[in-house]
Structure formats: structure tokens, C-alpha cells
Amino acid sequence: FLYFKKFARELFNLKNTYSFELYLGSLCFILSPIIIFDQMFIFLTTIWLLGVVPALGYYYLKYLKTSNFLYIYISMIICFILAFALWSVPWLLGFIIPVLGGSVVLVLLNKRNEILFVLKRSIIFSSFILLTQTFWLLGFLAPYIVQDKNSFAVKFLSKAFVDTFEPSIQATATGFIIYPLLNLFHRQIAFDFDWKLKNDFINLYDKTFFLNFIFIFVIIIGLFCYKKYLDRNNRRIYLFILASLILSLYFFTVNIGPLKDLFLSFGNIPGFVMFRNFYDKFAPGYVFLYSILITISLVLVKKKYPSKYIWVNFLILFVIILNFSIVKSTVNSPLWTTENVYKTLNIPKEYLNFMDTIKRDISSTNNILSVPFGISLYSVIKDENSNNVYVGISPVKIFSGVNDISGSLSFNFTIEADIIDKIIIDKKYDKLNKILYNHNINYVLVTKNIPNQVLRSYIFNKQVIGAQDANFLQAITDKKILTSQSGNYELYTTKKRNSLLQSQNLYFKKINSVKYLLYIKNVNNPQDLKFNDSFQNDWKLYLNKNPDLAFCTTLAFATNNTTECKSKFTLFDPSEMTYLWNKPVFSESHSTADGTNNTWTIDPGYIKNKFSKDYYTLNKDGSINIEMVMYFKPQLYLYYGLIISFTVITLSTGYLMFILLRKNEKHKKKNK
């Protein structure tokens, strides 16, 4: 709210006499029904963009006008602290793309030296911001650069994802520009998909529809008056904001005559598939630009009608508050497709205690299958004393440290993600047990108190939930090992348990989610090493000198000639930094046996020929013992990125202090 006001004031150099108009613009921004429904209601990290974007915009303008490094420095700190907001790349691009398109107006209306001046300072400003984000940008961009076929980034560009673009657009691009121009969400989409927002329109917005035309009325007055009441520089800025808003309106609506086909053609651009939910991704940027235009239009109304503008201001304020008044019913609405099951709760103590027991007794190298098995990767937790439920990303790993599979998308991009539902429906338990085994799913968590309304809701596929009966549970479980205090949660072992890592005479210990210690005894002939996690080419093996089994002090589990040692979490070891240039071993043999796991061939002859005896111990029968580290190399992007980010911030801090000290000394000399 505050930074929007500061940004709008700085953008148009508005005086304090326009404070009320600036406050109205800020209210229009943060209380827009579009923002309420699409951001605050869902509460993703994108909500922080509502503060980050105007703050950066304000300091950017201050830097352009003063060249004071202090404004870059403040922006760097904001971006570093709120990096998770900037990590919401699609929503951020949903703001940047229209603004870049609108900037063509500035290029056409400004002189060459003015354009070069702004471009130079923009590059400096944005470069420092990007350097503070290196710690996540390196990992985000690296897969695109190296074209890792198994990375999430590259799969995001895959044909499977691209093929979802056009059907999604055709199904949702049914709205028109009229409702966004009234500062309202797309009415038609809400009715097409039976969202709760439909009731908001029926109960309020449809009845007060005509009042919202005050926004269009104000914009039209501004459009007719800007040439007369704005100076040359502000006229250019006004046209820039107007052009950006028109582009943003198009991207936020799509369904604008032949322009819909143009948007569909954008699906051929690599990565543009991220905007298939256009009504979501372009929403924050649209409301921001819309509110800026409303703000300057209110200023123009005040200049044109100095004796009557106050009535327009109060009508705008009234409509903003009226539209916001329904927010309580929006936030407290029942879960979609249920009648009286609500979505806020206190997490039950029974659930937390159950998770604590899992954390204590179950190794984090295992996976858990959550039953009932739902759509996507959602999980359901019911309150103790009400009908309220939590529905969202499964929190099992957060509370217990053990990963769980709660829906088809929990399998990420593996083959099973596409076939698991059909296997459950067809009751092909042999195939299902094989999938559980291959994915190291050794436990089944059964939640028994999910309300029937939720079981019949969109959270669960009707056929899949119908197939998860007593026979289903009996077919995939061995024995019950844990029951919660009130009996609402049960934990079973699966029919056949697997180990995360598997090889002959293997001992392993998990250090953290990206690092494992391995010790293999009596390696006499080439043998396979299997890692039962989704195949990633970036998992690398590194030989350790002086192999020693001393790291295995306590045994956790043993199966298939493999022993898991009890883990002790360690966040970081400085020696890991060397893995960036150290050559891994057996990379040529790294493959996937069945499309789901990682497999290497451990060849003792290769080790004897390529490495000194410091890297293995020789047994009397000619076999060798080796110690290795299995490491997920992209983690290094985070570490080296952090070094770059902290270095830039540290040097910038020193530079800023140097400048301030010099100014202080000059000030003292001047006073003397």
C-alpha cells in the first residue's frame, strides 16, 4: 500500500495536494477483487510481489533521477530477503511482458540520448538485482543452458506440456474485457467452472454492476484530459502506462476476437506454456497497471473539475470498499464442490504426534503412500472438533522428514504419473506393488477421518476412490505397525520392502537430501548400483581416499545384501565445493533400468587401473573395498550462487559506507 503510493507519486511527480488520490489508487491496487480472489485467497508466494514490485519501481525511479547508489542498495536488500517472491517467475513475467511492450511508446517519444541514459541506468540497476538472486538463478537457468533432458526445466518445455496449452486456453478464454475494465475478475470463467466466485457475482457484483462503471468513467476523463493537464514528460509516461495496460488487458483476457488465435500461436514459443493459466499469471501485473492509470486519472479529474472531483473520489472509495466487503465470505467459503466443509483449521495434535513418531522411527530414505490416493499431489487433514479440513500440498515431509506420495503428480514426470490411476481402478495389484517397490515406497499411511463430502469432491477421482476398498489395502500392505491415539491415522508396511540404494555388500548413510555416503565391500566383478529415486543425470559418484566403514555406527535397516546406516543430518561440508571440478566415476554407465531409477555399473578393474591404492583397500581374494560419495551436483549452483550474492552485497555495503563517509567528511570541511 505504502510503496504503491510512493511509486505513483514519484512516477508522475505528484504534489502533496494529491495525497487522497494516491491513497485511492493504493486501495484500488490492494483491495481489487481480482487480487483478492486470485492472490490473497490462494496465498501463493506471488502475494509478496504486491509489495516487491512497487518498492522496486519506486527505488528504480529514484535512482534514475539521482544516480544515488543507495537506492540500488536498498533494492538489493529487499530482493535478497524476499527472493521467494521474485522466484515466482511466471507472475513476474506477467508484469514485465506488458511493460516491455508498452515501453515501445517511450522509445518512439523520447530522444536518442534520453533513451540511452535510461537504458544504461536500467542495465546497472537490474544487473545488481540479478546478482543478488544468483543463488537461485544459477540453478534455475543451468538446466536450460546445458539442456539436461531429465531436468524439470527442460521437461517444462516438453511436448507433453506444450500439448496442454491450447486445450487450457480454449477452455478458459471465455471472458471479455468489460469485467477487467470494471476491476472485476472474469465472470464467465467463474460460471464455466462453478467457482465459489460465481456466488459473489450473483450476491453482489451483478447487483452493483453499474456502480463499477465509475472506473471506466474516470479512465475516459483522463484519456480526454491528459494532453491539457499533464506536462510533456508526464504525457509520455501516461501513454506508456496506457499502452502497457492495454497489452496487459489482452494477456489477462485473451478472448479478444482474432487476437485469441495470436495468443494460441505464442504457444510455439519455448516456455510460453507457463501462461496457459493466463487469468492467474497476468492478474497481479494487470491490477498494478490498472491502479496506476486510475490514480493519474483521478488527478486529472481533480484538475478538470476542481469543485466537483470530491464526489467522484468518494464514489470510487465507496465502490472499492463495497467490492471488498465480500472478502470474508470468499476466504471463509466452503471447499470447492462441498457444501459445508471449510478450509481453515488448527492442525490436530493427534496428527502432529503421529508425524513425530514417524520421524523418530522411519528413516527419511523411505517413501510413504498416502491413502486415500487423490488427484494431483494434494493431501487432506481434518480438524479435531469441526468439519474443517486442510487441502493442499502434503505436509508429511515437513512434519516427519519422510516423503510421501499422495497423488499421481507426486510421481513427478515418471511413467507412473500417467498410469497409476488406471492401475488402481483396474485393480492390477501386481503392477501396483511393483511400482511401490521400484519407487522405494515401503509404508502406507491411511487417513480414516476424511469427511464424505471431501471424498466426493474434486480432490478425489470418483473411480479411483471407489477402487480403494478393503481388498485394495489388503493387496498392498503387509502389517500394521502404528496407530494414532484416536485411531484416525494408521501406518502399514508394504508387501515387499525395498532400499533406496541397492548393491552387493553395500553400506550407505544419508547425510542430507543431496548427499549420501557409500561403502561397498568385496567388489570382485562389475556389479550394479541402483538408486531408487527418479532418474536424474546430475547424480554423480565421487571416490573417497582411504575407504573406511567407520561412518556406519548404527544400523537402520538391511535387505537385498544392502545395509542402511542410521543417518545424522549435516547441512554442508566445504569439501563439497570441489565436486564442481572433480571428475566423477562411472558416469558413462549411469542410466535408468526401467525409466524410474538411477543405475551405475561399479567396475573394480576401472578403479585399479585409474586410481592409486589410496582410493581402495585390497582384500586377500583380490576383491576391493571402496568408499564413495553420491552427490546431486546442481546443489553446487546454490552454494556458488550464494557466494556471488553475498560477495556483491558485501562489496556494495563497503562501497556505500565509503560514499557516506566521504560525504560526511566533505560536509565537515564545508562547515569549517
Side-chain angles (χ1 to χ4, degrees):
F1 176 83
L2 294 175
Y3 270 113
F4 181 92
K5 176 176 173 288
K6 291 162 77 73
F7 172 74
R9 183 195 297 276
E10 197 67 34
L11 185 64
F12 290 100
N13 290 311
L14 298 176
K15 299 177 182 178
N16 290 330
T17 52
Y18 300 110
S19 291
F20 191 64
E21 287 72 23
L22 288 165
Y23 280 122
L24 283 177
S26 296
L27 284 174
C28 182
F29 176 49
I30 66 168
L31 300 185
S32 166
I34 299 171
I35 291 295
I36 297 300
F37 173 75
D38 204 51
Q39 303 303 318
M40 295 185 182
F41 176 52
I42 301 172
F43 209 78
L44 295 169
T45 54
T46 51
I47 195 171
W48 295 99
L49 289 176
L50 302 184
V52 172
V53 168
L56 292 186
Y58 168 70
Y59 289 119
Y60 168 70
L61 292 175
K62 295 291 287 184
Y63 174 67
L64 279 184
K65 295 177 180 181
T66 66
S67 74
N68 191 337
F69 185 75
L70 174 65
Y71 298 118
I72 292 181
Y73 183 78
I74 296 173
S75 300
M76 290 166 57
I77 299 303
I78 289 174
C79 288
F80 186 76
I81 294 173
L82 295 177
F84 55 86
L86 296 181
W87 193 76
S88 304
V89 175
W91 291 268
L92 192 59
L93 288 176
F95 167 74
I96 292 174
I97 290 173
V99 168
L100 287 178
S103 63
V104 173
V105 172
L106 294 177
V107 173
L108 295 174
L109 296 178
N110 283 280
K111 296 178 181 178
R112 183 173 179 273
N113 61 332
E114 292 174 323
I115 295 170
L116 291 176
F117 172 81
V118 172
L119 184 61
K120 178 183 175 182
R121 293 204 170 177
S122 299
I123 291 173
I124 294 172
F125 186 88
S126 57
S127 295
F128 275 97
I129 299 299
L130 290 174
L131 285 170
T132 64
Q133 305 298 300
T134 312
F135 67 95
W136 69 267
L137 274 175
L138 274 181
F140 183 79
L141 295 175
Y144 288 94
I145 296 170
V146 301
Q147 286 294 294
D148 179 2
K149 294 180 180 179
N150 294 286
S151 71
F152 173 81
V154 172
K155 284 179 180 290
F156 196 68
L157 305 176
S158 67
K159 187 178 183 300
F161 268 85
V162 171
D163 288 346
T164 65
F165 181 74
E166 183 170 347
S168 298
I169 299 300
Q170 296 288 11
T172 54
T174 56
F176 300 98
I177 63 171
I178 184 62
Y179 286 97
L181 283 176
L182 298 177
N183 197 23
L184 297 173
F185 199 82
H186 299 293
R187 185 182 188 277
Q188 191 59 47
I189 298 177
F191 278 76
D192 287 345
F193 291 92
D194 197 30
W195 289 343
K196 189 269 168 189
L197 182 63
K198 176 183 75 173
N199 298 327
D200 293 346
F201 273 100
I202 294 172
N203 296 329
L204 178 66
Y205 299 139
D206 286 350
K207 297 175 181 177
T208 61
F209 180 75
F210 67 96
L211 289 175
N212 289 275
F213 275 91
I214 184 64
F215 293 110
I216 297 179
F217 175 71
V218 167
I219 290 173
I220 291 173
I221 291 178
L223 190 60
F224 280 104
C225 296
Y226 83 95
K227 285 186 178 180
K228 181 177 179 180
Y229 294 105
L230 295 180
D231 59 32
R232 179 175 176 271
N233 186 56
N234 279 345
R235 285 200 298 270
R236 291 182 295 186
I237 295 173
Y238 176 87
L239 290 174
F240 158 64
I241 295 297
L242 182 63
S244 299
L245 177 67
I246 291 172
L247 284 172
S248 188
L249 176 64
Y250 162 58
F251 284 117
F252 180 56
T253 307
V254 176
N255 189 33
I256 304 177
L259 294 180
K260 181 177 179 179
D261 293 329
L262 176 63
F263 192 90
L264 288 171
S265 69
F266 291 159
N268 297 316
I269 301 173
F272 197 82
V273 67
M274 72 175 72
F275 298 115
R276 58 184 178 175
N277 296 335
F278 59 91
Y279 53 85
D280 171 44
K281 303 300 187 293
F282 289 98
Y286 172 76
V287 174
F288 180 80
L289 293 166
Y290 181 88
S291 302
I292 290 290
L293 192 67
I294 289 292
T295 304
I296 191 60
S297 296
L298 286 171
V299 170
L300 292 169
V301 169
K302 185 174 184 177
K303 288 184 176 184
K304 183 171 178 63
Y305 304 106
S307 60
K308 299 178 181 179
Y309 76 92
I310 192 69
W311 298 108
V312 175
N313 283 354
F314 277 111
L315 183 55
I316 286 281
L317 177 61
F318 173 75
V319 174
I320 289 173
I321 294 173
L322 181 68
N323 286 342
F324 179 72
S325 64
I326 207 164
V327 68
K328 184 176 181 180
S329 65
T330 300
V331 173
N332 294 336
S333 61
L335 177 69
W336 186 40
T337 67
T338 69
E339 294 180 1
N340 55 7
V341 177
Y342 293 87
K343 300 164 293 185
T344 56
L345 83 162
N346 295 315
I347 298 178
K349 192 172 182 181
E350 178 189 10
Y351 180 84
L352 293 175
N353 290 340
F354 192 73
M355 290 296 113
D356 285 341
T357 305
I358 291 177
K359 184 175 184 178
R360 185 191 67 212
D361 297 342
I362 307 300
S363 170
S364 62
T365 58
N366 294 279
N367 286 321
I368 294 174
L369 180 74
S370 287
V371 174
F373 190 76
I375 66 167
S376 185
L377 35 69
Y378 290 155
S379 181
V380 179
I381 304 171
K382 183 184 174 299
D383 205 334
E384 284 180 326
N385 303 313
S386 70
N387 215 29
N388 292 13
V389 296
Y390 162 82
V391 173
I393 302 300
S394 175
V396 169
K397 187 167 185 176
I398 296 173
F399 292 121
S400 71
V402 184
N403 184 55
D404 78 316
I405 305 294
S406 57
S408 57
L409 290 187
S410 300
F411 286 102
N412 203 346
F413 297 101
T414 60
I415 298 170
E416 285 77 9
D418 297 324
I419 64 173
I420 187 73
D421 286 349
K422 191 173 188 311
I423 287 176
I424 293 174
I425 293 170
D426 294 343
K427 301 183 183 297
K428 295 181 178 179
Y429 299 129
D430 288 341
K431 285 187 176 181
L432 181 58
N433 282 321
K434 185 178 180 181
I435 289 174
L436 300 184
Y437 182 80
N438 288 340
H439 284 279
N440 200 42
I441 299 172
N442 296 322
Y443 298 91
V444 177
L445 168 61
V446 179
T447 302
K448 304 183 72 175
N449 63 344
I450 299 176
N452 287 329
Q453 284 188 54
V454 178
L455 292 174
R456 294 192 299 268
S457 74
Y458 80 99
I459 301 301
F460 297 97
N461 177 294
K462 186 179 293 186
Q463 288 180 290
V464 175
I465 197 69
Q468 296 176 61
D469 52 17
N471 291 332
F472 165 81
L473 189 62
Q474 186 177 2
I476 64 172
T477 60
D478 182 21
K479 59 182 178 180
K480 186 193 301 182
I481 60 170
L482 184 62
T483 303
S484 64
Q485 58 216 45
S486 298
N488 290 318
Y489 306 98
E490 297 175 341
L491 190 70
Y492 295 80
T493 56
T494 52
K495 288 290 186 187
K496 186 180 179 184
R497 296 179 63 186
N498 199 356
S499 176
L500 181 62
L501 283 146
Q502 204 176 82
S503 192
Q504 191 75 15
N505 298 323
L506 169 67
Y507 295 77
F508 75 92
K509 179 179 182 179
K510 181 178 180 179
I511 306 301
N512 52 51
S513 59
V514 298
K515 184 180 180 182
Y516 295 81
L517 271 178
L518 287 68
Y519 185 92
I520 307 180
K521 293 169 58 177
N522 306 322
V523 186
N524 200 21
N525 297 302
Q527 63 184 61
D528 285 343
L529 168 67
K530 289 184 179 180
F531 177 45
N532 294 310
D533 203 343
S534 298
F535 178 78
Q536 287 284 351
N537 196 46
D538 288 312
W539 281 107
K540 304 296 181 184
L541 297 174
Y542 299 91
L543 273 178
N544 279 348
K545 281 187 175 182
N546 305 313
D548 191 353
L549 192 53
F551 67 78
C552 189
T553 55
T554 308
L555 302 185
F557 180 69
T559 185
N560 299 323
N561 294 308
T562 297
T563 301
E564 180 181 349
C565 308
K566 195 165 185 180
S567 62
K568 185 177 181 182
F569 178 80
T570 303
L571 179 62
F572 172 69
D573 182 346
S575 65
E576 295 171 19
M577 304 297 283
T578 63
Y579 296 151
L580 188 66
W581 58 83
N582 282 358
K583 187 177 180 181
V585 292
F586 309 124
S587 293
E588 295 80 5
S589 67
H590 187 194
S591 62
T592 177
D594 54 8
T596 61
N597 63 13
N598 298 262
T599 303
W600 293 266
T601 299
I602 308 302
D603 185 357
Y606 173 84
I607 296 174
K608 291 178 182 179
N609 293 331
K610 298 289 185 179
F611 293 89
S612 68
K613 291 184 178 180
D614 293 337
Y615 288 92
Y616 62 91
T617 56
L618 187 63
N619 300 314
K620 291 181 179 179
D621 61 356
S623 63
I624 61 173
N625 307 325
I626 58 173
E627 183 183 347
M628 294 184 294
V629 171
M630 186 177 72
Y631 193 79
F632 191 58
K633 199 171 181 179
Q635 182 72 7
L636 297 174
Y637 300 139
L638 169 67
Y639 296 149
Y640 280 98
L642 278 171
I643 291 173
I644 295 172
S645 297
F646 276 119
T647 300
V648 170
I649 292 174
T650 302
L651 292 176
S652 298
T653 304
Y655 176 66
L656 186 62
M657 291 178 66
F658 173 73
I659 292 175
L660 294 175
L661 287 172
R662 283 190 63 183
K663 283 185 177 180
N664 190 40
E665 288 176 3
K666 288 181 179 180
H667 183 68
K668 287 181 179 178
K669 288 180 180 180
K670 188 177 180 180
N671 288 340
K672 287 182 180 180

